[in-house]
Amino acid sequence: MKRRREATTPSPTRLRHREDINIPLDVTVEILKKLPTKSIVRFQFVSKQWSSVINMRRDFIDFIMKRSLAQPPRDAYFIASDDYRECFLAFLSTDKETVLIPKRFRHYLRGLVCCWSKSRQVVLYNPTTRQSLYFLKKKTMHMETSFIGYDPLENQYKVLFLPKYNPEQPCLVFTLGETATKWKTIQGVESHHPLQGALCINGRIYYQAGIVDQYDSTSLYKLMSFDVRSEEFHNIEAPKTLMDYRSYLINYQGKLGFVCCEKGVDIWVMETQGWSKIFFSEMECFNKLCSVGVTRGGEIVFTECVYRTQQRLGVFYFDPKLDSKRYIDLEGIYPKEKRRTDCIIWTVPDYVENTMRLY
């Protein structure tokens, strides 16, 4: 026997006026702000208006990012097999959540990830919205180094492409969100070999670069910066002792810094008047590790440069103020039994959620 379907009683408002309730936009925005980010991402498909609020309004996007930072620290771990057939983003604070990303990790900034796809295309990926922006291959683009930059005054994101193997090629800049020509070519940049690892602080991208001396074939290192707004390159003066492959750039509580692991641990910070050493420790346990970031509490994160197949996965957090360290085990995320090759780990302390649309 079929059950009789109960009639749905329309709401009093719809019954009297025969039309939907018109909720003011400012009220809608406040309602959306109270929802979890995962729900907000789903609701972007409700209407064009909601999508515009969630993906394009700067005040709303900034609110989501600030809310994310106001919560307990949420560190993200990018784990990739040595052959880059597997690459994913892992969170320990949310029941070991993992998110697949388009292959090879390159750079992280404000919730966005710059990486390489399987076909060697540069990809900008937003793990919050699961949106990917694949950059078209150009004749001048062949295995460049790519970094993300952000100008807080203009609220502008740009992706910088630096030629890695052919210094005669020009640098390219891609501006997100522009309706006109998004690509710009920068000529006349001094020849240099960009190294992996970059930071964007207060509208400037900082990275290390190598220069090969044509007379004695030795490699020299220098510190470079790229102004995101003016799109100009600058050489940054730094102590020669820091211009070494065992030195790593860090964002130390809003200031550009270096961690040098050659003889213990040295921490340098660039102040207004110049560079100053703020910490030194003779602990040799970090000599074979790589520095991959700093937490908001000032802890410096170290990983193995390469994790062998049978080696347990984990990262070290070192607090220079307390001269103490702690260990985070990541073996449960990517156990030895599942690993076919060696793997690499990048850590993003204080990962933030970003609902911005990429295109």
Side-chain angles (χ1 to χ4, degrees), residues 233-265:
F233 289 88
H234 301 278
N235 290 321
I236 306 297
E237 293 293 331
K240 292 184 179 180
T241 55
L242 299 180
M243 294 294 97
D244 185 84
Y245 73 98
R246 293 293 296 155
S247 297
Y248 305 94
L249 285 174
I250 59 171
N251 183 343
Y252 191 79
Q253 299 180 332
K255 297 179 180 180
L256 179 65
F258 267 104
V259 173
C260 183
C261 303
E262 186 176 7
K263 298 178 181 179
V265 179

PDB file of all heavy atoms in Angstrom, residues 233-265:
ATOM      1  N   PHE A 233      63.383  44.387  -9.714  1.00  0.00           N
ATOM      2  CA  PHE A 233      64.292  43.502  -8.992  1.00  0.00           C
ATOM      3  C   PHE A 233      65.343  44.327  -8.252  1.00  0.00           C
ATOM      4  O   PHE A 233      65.761  45.384  -8.722  1.00  0.00           O
ATOM      5  CB  PHE A 233      64.992  42.541  -9.965  1.00  0.00           C
ATOM      6  CG  PHE A 233      64.095  41.480 -10.535  1.00  0.00           C
ATOM      7  CD1 PHE A 233      63.376  41.721 -11.698  1.00  0.00           C
ATOM      8  CD2 PHE A 233      63.974  40.247  -9.911  1.00  0.00           C
ATOM      9  CE1 PHE A 233      62.560  40.741 -12.243  1.00  0.00           C
ATOM     10  CE2 PHE A 233      63.158  39.265 -10.433  1.00  0.00           C
ATOM     11  CZ  PHE A 233      62.448  39.513 -11.600  1.00  0.00           C
ATOM     12  N   HIS A 234      65.782  43.798  -7.108  1.00  0.00           N
ATOM     13  CA  HIS A 234      66.818  44.469  -6.324  1.00  0.00           C
ATOM     14  C   HIS A 234      67.750  43.424  -5.715  1.00  0.00           C
ATOM     15  O   HIS A 234      67.322  42.321  -5.350  1.00  0.00           O
ATOM     16  CB  HIS A 234      66.209  45.309  -5.189  1.00  0.00           C
ATOM     17  CG  HIS A 234      65.261  46.371  -5.654  1.00  0.00           C
ATOM     18  ND1 HIS A 234      65.685  47.602  -6.112  1.00  0.00           N
ATOM     19  CD2 HIS A 234      63.905  46.380  -5.745  1.00  0.00           C
ATOM     20  CE1 HIS A 234      64.635  48.334  -6.449  1.00  0.00           C
ATOM     21  NE2 HIS A 234      63.542  47.606  -6.248  1.00  0.00           N
ATOM     22  N   ASN A 235      69.032  43.790  -5.612  1.00  0.00           N
ATOM     23  CA  ASN A 235      69.992  42.988  -4.852  1.00  0.00           C
ATOM     24  C   ASN A 235      69.937  43.417  -3.397  1.00  0.00           C
ATOM     25  O   ASN A 235      69.954  44.616  -3.101  1.00  0.00           O
ATOM     26  CB  ASN A 235      71.410  43.180  -5.391  1.00  0.00           C
ATOM     27  CG  ASN A 235      71.597  42.551  -6.748  1.00  0.00           C
ATOM     28  OD1 ASN A 235      71.076  41.476  -7.014  1.00  0.00           O
ATOM     29  ND2 ASN A 235      72.349  43.222  -7.613  1.00  0.00           N
ATOM     30  N   ILE A 236      69.886  42.466  -2.487  1.00  0.00           N
ATOM     31  CA  ILE A 236      69.831  42.758  -1.050  1.00  0.00           C
ATOM     32  C   ILE A 236      71.179  42.405  -0.432  1.00  0.00           C
ATOM     33  O   ILE A 236      71.677  41.282  -0.591  1.00  0.00           O
ATOM     34  CB  ILE A 236      68.708  41.962  -0.352  1.00  0.00           C
ATOM     35  CG1 ILE A 236      67.366  42.205  -1.039  1.00  0.00           C
ATOM     36  CG2 ILE A 236      68.639  42.333   1.124  1.00  0.00           C
ATOM     37  CD1 ILE A 236      66.883  43.628  -0.985  1.00  0.00           C
ATOM     38  N   GLU A 237      71.769  43.384   0.239  1.00  0.00           N
ATOM     39  CA  GLU A 237      73.038  43.134   0.916  1.00  0.00           C
ATOM     40  C   GLU A 237      72.815  42.186   2.098  1.00  0.00           C
ATOM     41  O   GLU A 237      71.886  42.353   2.887  1.00  0.00           O
ATOM     42  CB  GLU A 237      73.646  44.443   1.417  1.00  0.00           C
ATOM     43  CG  GLU A 237      74.096  45.385   0.305  1.00  0.00           C
ATOM     44  CD  GLU A 237      75.268  44.828  -0.489  1.00  0.00           C
ATOM     45  OE1 GLU A 237      76.063  44.063   0.107  1.00  0.00           O
ATOM     46  OE2 GLU A 237      75.386  45.157  -1.674  1.00  0.00           O
ATOM     47  N   ALA A 238      73.667  41.175   2.186  1.00  0.00           N
ATOM     48  CA  ALA A 238      73.578  40.200   3.279  1.00  0.00           C
ATOM     49  C   ALA A 238      74.981  39.716   3.609  1.00  0.00           C
ATOM     50  O   ALA A 238      75.864  39.697   2.735  1.00  0.00           O
ATOM     51  CB  ALA A 238      72.682  39.027   2.886  1.00  0.00           C
ATOM     52  N   PRO A 239      75.229  39.333   4.865  1.00  0.00           N
ATOM     53  CA  PRO A 239      76.557  38.825   5.232  1.00  0.00           C
ATOM     54  C   PRO A 239      76.953  37.635   4.369  1.00  0.00           C
ATOM     55  O   PRO A 239      76.127  36.778   4.048  1.00  0.00           O
ATOM     56  CB  PRO A 239      76.378  38.404   6.704  1.00  0.00           C
ATOM     57  CG  PRO A 239      75.229  39.232   7.189  1.00  0.00           C
ATOM     58  CD  PRO A 239      74.318  39.386   6.017  1.00  0.00           C
ATOM     59  N   LYS A 240      78.207  37.579   3.953  1.00  0.00           N
ATOM     60  CA  LYS A 240      78.677  36.496   3.095  1.00  0.00           C
ATOM     61  C   LYS A 240      78.528  35.133   3.764  1.00  0.00           C
ATOM     62  O   LYS A 240      78.359  34.121   3.072  1.00  0.00           O
ATOM     63  CB  LYS A 240      80.143  36.738   2.710  1.00  0.00           C
ATOM     64  CG  LYS A 240      80.344  37.932   1.788  1.00  0.00           C
ATOM     65  CD  LYS A 240      81.799  38.059   1.378  1.00  0.00           C
ATOM     66  CE  LYS A 240      81.983  39.242   0.422  1.00  0.00           C
ATOM     67  NZ  LYS A 240      83.410  39.391   0.009  1.00  0.00           N
ATOM     68  N   THR A 241      78.586  35.119   5.083  1.00  0.00           N
ATOM     69  CA  THR A 241      78.452  33.838   5.786  1.00  0.00           C
ATOM     70  C   THR A 241      77.069  33.234   5.598  1.00  0.00           C
ATOM     71  O   THR A 241      76.882  32.028   5.782  1.00  0.00           O
ATOM     72  CB  THR A 241      78.716  34.027   7.293  1.00  0.00           C
ATOM     73  OG1 THR A 241      77.837  35.057   7.801  1.00  0.00           O
ATOM     74  CG2 THR A 241      80.152  34.429   7.544  1.00  0.00           C
ATOM     75  N   LEU A 242      76.068  34.066   5.220  1.00  0.00           N
ATOM     76  CA  LEU A 242      74.716  33.560   5.022  1.00  0.00           C
ATOM     77  C   LEU A 242      74.476  33.113   3.584  1.00  0.00           C
ATOM     78  O   LEU A 242      73.505  32.413   3.304  1.00  0.00           O
ATOM     79  CB  LEU A 242      73.690  34.646   5.383  1.00  0.00           C
ATOM     80  CG  LEU A 242      73.719  35.142   6.827  1.00  0.00           C
ATOM     81  CD1 LEU A 242      72.652  36.198   7.037  1.00  0.00           C
ATOM     82  CD2 LEU A 242      73.522  33.991   7.798  1.00  0.00           C
ATOM     83  N   MET A 243      75.350  33.552   2.666  1.00  0.00           N
ATOM     84  CA  MET A 243      75.171  33.195   1.269  1.00  0.00           C
ATOM     85  C   MET A 243      75.770  31.826   0.998  1.00  0.00           C
ATOM     86  O   MET A 243      76.802  31.664   0.349  1.00  0.00           O
ATOM     87  CB  MET A 243      75.811  34.260   0.370  1.00  0.00           C
ATOM     88  CG  MET A 243      75.126  35.621   0.456  1.00  0.00           C
ATOM     89  SD  MET A 243      73.426  35.585  -0.186  1.00  0.00           S
ATOM     90  CE  MET A 243      72.458  35.392   1.304  1.00  0.00           C
ATOM     91  N   ASP A 244      75.098  30.805   1.532  1.00  0.00           N
ATOM     92  CA  ASP A 244      75.584  29.436   1.461  1.00  0.00           C
ATOM     93  C   ASP A 244      74.397  28.514   1.257  1.00  0.00           C
ATOM     94  O   ASP A 244      73.280  28.836   1.647  1.00  0.00           O
ATOM     95  CB  ASP A 244      76.337  29.088   2.754  1.00  0.00           C
ATOM     96  CG  ASP A 244      76.970  27.709   2.685  1.00  0.00           C
ATOM     97  OD1 ASP A 244      78.076  27.579   2.143  1.00  0.00           O
ATOM     98  OD2 ASP A 244      76.321  26.765   3.165  1.00  0.00           O
ATOM     99  N   TYR A 245      74.654  27.359   0.650  1.00  0.00           N
ATOM    100  CA  TYR A 245      73.556  26.431   0.382  1.00  0.00           C
ATOM    101  C   TYR A 245      72.962  25.843   1.665  1.00  0.00           C
ATOM    102  O   TYR A 245      71.890  25.241   1.636  1.00  0.00           O
ATOM    103  CB  TYR A 245      74.042  25.308  -0.544  1.00  0.00           C
ATOM    104  CG  TYR A 245      74.950  24.294   0.120  1.00  0.00           C
ATOM    105  CD1 TYR A 245      74.449  23.085   0.587  1.00  0.00           C
ATOM    106  CD2 TYR A 245      76.307  24.551   0.283  1.00  0.00           C
ATOM    107  CE1 TYR A 245      75.276  22.154   1.192  1.00  0.00           C
ATOM    108  CE2 TYR A 245      77.139  23.631   0.880  1.00  0.00           C
ATOM    109  CZ  TYR A 245      76.629  22.428   1.332  1.00  0.00           C
ATOM    110  OH  TYR A 245      77.443  21.524   1.938  1.00  0.00           O
ATOM    111  N   ARG A 246      73.649  26.011   2.798  1.00  0.00           N
ATOM    112  CA  ARG A 246      73.134  25.512   4.078  1.00  0.00           C
ATOM    113  C   ARG A 246      72.372  26.595   4.823  1.00  0.00           C
ATOM    114  O   ARG A 246      72.067  26.452   5.995  1.00  0.00           O
ATOM    115  CB  ARG A 246      74.276  24.985   4.941  1.00  0.00           C
ATOM    116  CG  ARG A 246      74.953  23.747   4.408  1.00  0.00           C
ATOM    117  CD  ARG A 246      74.009  22.552   4.431  1.00  0.00           C
ATOM    118  NE  ARG A 246      73.639  22.212   5.795  1.00  0.00           N
ATOM    119  CZ  ARG A 246      72.518  21.568   6.123  1.00  0.00           C
ATOM    120  NH1 ARG A 246      71.642  21.261   5.191  1.00  0.00           N
ATOM    121  NH2 ARG A 246      72.259  21.265   7.383  1.00  0.00           N
ATOM    122  N   SER A 247      72.066  27.705   4.170  1.00  0.00           N
ATOM    123  CA  SER A 247      71.288  28.785   4.767  1.00  0.00           C
ATOM    124  C   SER A 247      69.905  28.809   4.136  1.00  0.00           C
ATOM    125  O   SER A 247      69.755  28.632   2.922  1.00  0.00           O
ATOM    126  CB  SER A 247      71.979  30.139   4.556  1.00  0.00           C
ATOM    127  OG  SER A 247      73.229  30.169   5.213  1.00  0.00           O
ATOM    128  N   TYR A 248      68.893  29.067   4.979  1.00  0.00           N
ATOM    129  CA  TYR A 248      67.510  29.020   4.512  1.00  0.00           C
ATOM    130  C   TYR A 248      66.783  30.299   4.904  1.00  0.00           C
ATOM    131  O   TYR A 248      66.907  30.780   6.036  1.00  0.00           O
ATOM    132  CB  TYR A 248      66.781  27.808   5.120  1.00  0.00           C
ATOM    133  CG  TYR A 248      67.484  26.500   4.870  1.00  0.00           C
ATOM    134  CD1 TYR A 248      68.375  25.978   5.815  1.00  0.00           C
ATOM    135  CD2 TYR A 248      67.276  25.788   3.691  1.00  0.00           C
ATOM    136  CE1 TYR A 248      69.030  24.773   5.587  1.00  0.00           C
ATOM    137  CE2 TYR A 248      67.924  24.584   3.458  1.00  0.00           C
ATOM    138  CZ  TYR A 248      68.802  24.082   4.411  1.00  0.00           C
ATOM    139  OH  TYR A 248      69.457  22.894   4.176  1.00  0.00           O
ATOM    140  N   LEU A 249      66.028  30.843   3.956  1.00  0.00           N
ATOM    141  CA  LEU A 249      65.234  32.036   4.236  1.00  0.00           C
ATOM    142  C   LEU A 249      64.051  31.687   5.134  1.00  0.00           C
ATOM    143  O   LEU A 249      63.403  30.660   4.948  1.00  0.00           O
ATOM    144  CB  LEU A 249      64.713  32.645   2.934  1.00  0.00           C
ATOM    145  CG  LEU A 249      65.697  33.403   2.047  1.00  0.00           C
ATOM    146  CD1 LEU A 249      65.025  33.786   0.743  1.00  0.00           C
ATOM    147  CD2 LEU A 249      66.214  34.636   2.763  1.00  0.00           C
ATOM    148  N   ILE A 250      63.754  32.574   6.080  1.00  0.00           N
ATOM    149  CA  ILE A 250      62.600  32.383   6.949  1.00  0.00           C
ATOM    150  C   ILE A 250      61.890  33.723   7.159  1.00  0.00           C
ATOM    151  O   ILE A 250      62.486  34.785   7.012  1.00  0.00           O
ATOM    152  CB  ILE A 250      63.000  31.808   8.334  1.00  0.00           C
ATOM    153  CG1 ILE A 250      63.981  32.747   9.046  1.00  0.00           C
ATOM    154  CG2 ILE A 250      63.556  30.403   8.212  1.00  0.00           C
ATOM    155  CD1 ILE A 250      64.258  32.360  10.501  1.00  0.00           C
ATOM    156  N   ASN A 251      60.620  33.641   7.451  1.00  0.00           N
ATOM    157  CA  ASN A 251      59.836  34.803   7.876  1.00  0.00           C
ATOM    158  C   ASN A 251      59.756  34.730   9.393  1.00  0.00           C
ATOM    159  O   ASN A 251      58.934  34.012   9.953  1.00  0.00           O
ATOM    160  CB  ASN A 251      58.442  34.760   7.254  1.00  0.00           C
ATOM    161  CG  ASN A 251      57.607  35.982   7.617  1.00  0.00           C
ATOM    162  OD1 ASN A 251      57.909  36.717   8.551  1.00  0.00           O
ATOM    163  ND2 ASN A 251      56.534  36.192   6.874  1.00  0.00           N
ATOM    164  N   TYR A 252      60.654  35.482  10.050  1.00  0.00           N
ATOM    165  CA  TYR A 252      60.718  35.409  11.507  1.00  0.00           C
ATOM    166  C   TYR A 252      59.866  36.524  12.108  1.00  0.00           C
ATOM    167  O   TYR A 252      60.301  37.662  12.231  1.00  0.00           O
ATOM    168  CB  TYR A 252      62.171  35.505  11.998  1.00  0.00           C
ATOM    169  CG  TYR A 252      62.323  35.177  13.469  1.00  0.00           C
ATOM    170  CD1 TYR A 252      62.327  33.850  13.902  1.00  0.00           C
ATOM    171  CD2 TYR A 252      62.448  36.183  14.420  1.00  0.00           C
ATOM    172  CE1 TYR A 252      62.452  33.543  15.242  1.00  0.00           C
ATOM    173  CE2 TYR A 252      62.574  35.885  15.761  1.00  0.00           C
ATOM    174  CZ  TYR A 252      62.575  34.558  16.168  1.00  0.00           C
ATOM    175  OH  TYR A 252      62.700  34.259  17.504  1.00  0.00           O
ATOM    176  N   GLN A 253      58.601  36.183  12.381  1.00  0.00           N
ATOM    177  CA  GLN A 253      57.649  37.102  13.009  1.00  0.00           C
ATOM    178  C   GLN A 253      57.558  38.428  12.239  1.00  0.00           C
ATOM    179  O   GLN A 253      57.640  39.515  12.802  1.00  0.00           O
ATOM    180  CB  GLN A 253      58.029  37.323  14.473  1.00  0.00           C
ATOM    181  CG  GLN A 253      57.989  36.020  15.282  1.00  0.00           C
ATOM    182  CD  GLN A 253      58.362  36.189  16.737  1.00  0.00           C
ATOM    183  OE1 GLN A 253      59.114  37.078  17.091  1.00  0.00           O
ATOM    184  NE2 GLN A 253      57.820  35.336  17.590  1.00  0.00           N
ATOM    185  N   GLY A 254      57.387  38.294  10.917  1.00  0.00           N
ATOM    186  CA  GLY A 254      57.187  39.460  10.064  1.00  0.00           C
ATOM    187  C   GLY A 254      58.454  40.085   9.526  1.00  0.00           C
ATOM    188  O   GLY A 254      58.387  41.072   8.786  1.00  0.00           O
ATOM    189  N   LYS A 255      59.615  39.540   9.864  1.00  0.00           N
ATOM    190  CA  LYS A 255      60.883  40.072   9.381  1.00  0.00           C
ATOM    191  C   LYS A 255      61.616  39.016   8.563  1.00  0.00           C
ATOM    192  O   LYS A 255      61.522  37.818   8.843  1.00  0.00           O
ATOM    193  CB  LYS A 255      61.770  40.518  10.549  1.00  0.00           C
ATOM    194  CG  LYS A 255      61.186  41.655  11.379  1.00  0.00           C
ATOM    195  CD  LYS A 255      62.118  42.021  12.520  1.00  0.00           C
ATOM    196  CE  LYS A 255      61.541  43.152  13.363  1.00  0.00           C
ATOM    197  NZ  LYS A 255      62.443  43.514  14.489  1.00  0.00           N
ATOM    198  N   LEU A 256      62.361  39.479   7.552  1.00  0.00           N
ATOM    199  CA  LEU A 256      63.158  38.567   6.749  1.00  0.00           C
ATOM    200  C   LEU A 256      64.309  38.038   7.592  1.00  0.00           C
ATOM    201  O   LEU A 256      65.003  38.798   8.270  1.00  0.00           O
ATOM    202  CB  LEU A 256      63.703  39.292   5.517  1.00  0.00           C
ATOM    203  CG  LEU A 256      64.575  38.450   4.586  1.00  0.00           C
ATOM    204  CD1 LEU A 256      63.771  37.341   3.949  1.00  0.00           C
ATOM    205  CD2 LEU A 256      65.217  39.334   3.530  1.00  0.00           C
ATOM    206  N   GLY A 257      64.512  36.738   7.533  1.00  0.00           N
ATOM    207  CA  GLY A 257      65.569  36.134   8.326  1.00  0.00           C
ATOM    208  C   GLY A 257      66.236  34.979   7.606  1.00  0.00           C
ATOM    209  O   GLY A 257      65.789  34.523   6.547  1.00  0.00           O
ATOM    210  N   PHE A 258      67.332  34.525   8.186  1.00  0.00           N
ATOM    211  CA  PHE A 258      68.074  33.371   7.694  1.00  0.00           C
ATOM    212  C   PHE A 258      68.275  32.393   8.840  1.00  0.00           C
ATOM    213  O   PHE A 258      68.490  32.779   9.994  1.00  0.00           O
ATOM    214  CB  PHE A 258      69.464  33.787   7.189  1.00  0.00           C
ATOM    215  CG  PHE A 258      69.529  34.090   5.728  1.00  0.00           C
ATOM    216  CD1 PHE A 258      69.596  35.398   5.283  1.00  0.00           C
ATOM    217  CD2 PHE A 258      69.547  33.061   4.800  1.00  0.00           C
ATOM    218  CE1 PHE A 258      69.679  35.690   3.941  1.00  0.00           C
ATOM    219  CE2 PHE A 258      69.629  33.344   3.449  1.00  0.00           C
ATOM    220  CZ  PHE A 258      69.700  34.651   3.010  1.00  0.00           C
ATOM    221  N   VAL A 259      68.218  31.112   8.522  1.00  0.00           N
ATOM    222  CA  VAL A 259      68.672  30.071   9.436  1.00  0.00           C
ATOM    223  C   VAL A 259      69.859  29.392   8.776  1.00  0.00           C
ATOM    224  O   VAL A 259      69.751  28.898   7.647  1.00  0.00           O
ATOM    225  CB  VAL A 259      67.570  29.029   9.727  1.00  0.00           C
ATOM    226  CG1 VAL A 259      68.137  27.869  10.533  1.00  0.00           C
ATOM    227  CG2 VAL A 259      66.433  29.676  10.495  1.00  0.00           C
ATOM    228  N   CYS A 260      70.987  29.399   9.437  1.00  0.00           N
ATOM    229  CA  CYS A 260      72.194  28.767   8.927  1.00  0.00           C
ATOM    230  C   CYS A 260      72.490  27.533   9.774  1.00  0.00           C
ATOM    231  O   CYS A 260      72.591  27.629  11.001  1.00  0.00           O
ATOM    232  CB  CYS A 260      73.374  29.743   8.970  1.00  0.00           C
ATOM    233  SG  CYS A 260      74.891  29.063   8.283  1.00  0.00           S
ATOM    234  N   CYS A 261      72.618  26.375   9.119  1.00  0.00           N
ATOM    235  CA  CYS A 261      72.785  25.111   9.846  1.00  0.00           C
ATOM    236  C   CYS A 261      74.147  24.481   9.625  1.00  0.00           C
ATOM    237  O   CYS A 261      74.317  23.276   9.815  1.00  0.00           O
ATOM    238  CB  CYS A 261      71.694  24.122   9.417  1.00  0.00           C
ATOM    239  SG  CYS A 261      70.015  24.705   9.645  1.00  0.00           S
ATOM    240  N   GLU A 262      75.119  25.261   9.217  1.00  0.00           N
ATOM    241  CA  GLU A 262      76.427  24.679   8.924  1.00  0.00           C
ATOM    242  C   GLU A 262      77.167  24.272  10.187  1.00  0.00           C
ATOM    243  O   GLU A 262      77.711  23.171  10.276  1.00  0.00           O
ATOM    244  CB  GLU A 262      77.277  25.680   8.128  1.00  0.00           C
ATOM    245  CG  GLU A 262      78.600  25.106   7.666  1.00  0.00           C
ATOM    246  CD  GLU A 262      79.378  26.079   6.798  1.00  0.00           C
ATOM    247  OE1 GLU A 262      78.944  27.233   6.667  1.00  0.00           O
ATOM    248  OE2 GLU A 262      80.418  25.681   6.261  1.00  0.00           O
ATOM    249  N   LYS A 263      77.204  25.139  11.197  1.00  0.00           N
ATOM    250  CA  LYS A 263      77.886  24.841  12.463  1.00  0.00           C
ATOM    251  C   LYS A 263      76.907  25.115  13.605  1.00  0.00           C
ATOM    252  O   LYS A 263      76.943  26.178  14.223  1.00  0.00           O
ATOM    253  CB  LYS A 263      79.147  25.684  12.621  1.00  0.00           C
ATOM    254  CG  LYS A 263      80.194  25.428  11.548  1.00  0.00           C
ATOM    255  CD  LYS A 263      81.395  26.335  11.736  1.00  0.00           C
ATOM    256  CE  LYS A 263      82.436  26.083  10.645  1.00  0.00           C
ATOM    257  NZ  LYS A 263      83.617  26.983  10.792  1.00  0.00           N
ATOM    258  N   GLY A 264      76.026  24.182  13.854  1.00  0.00           N
ATOM    259  CA  GLY A 264      74.981  24.422  14.833  1.00  0.00           C
ATOM    260  C   GLY A 264      73.817  25.134  14.170  1.00  0.00           C
ATOM    261  O   GLY A 264      73.484  24.888  13.011  1.00  0.00           O
ATOM    262  N   VAL A 265      73.210  26.072  14.889  1.00  0.00           N
ATOM    263  CA  VAL A 265      72.078  26.832  14.360  1.00  0.00           C
ATOM    264  C   VAL A 265      72.312  28.320  14.605  1.00  0.00           C
ATOM    265  O   VAL A 265      72.427  28.766  15.746  1.00  0.00           O
ATOM    266  CB  VAL A 265      70.756  26.403  15.037  1.00  0.00           C
ATOM    267  CG1 VAL A 265      69.598  27.230  14.490  1.00  0.00           C
ATOM    268  CG2 VAL A 265      70.486  24.924  14.802  1.00  0.00           C
TER     269      VAL A 265
END
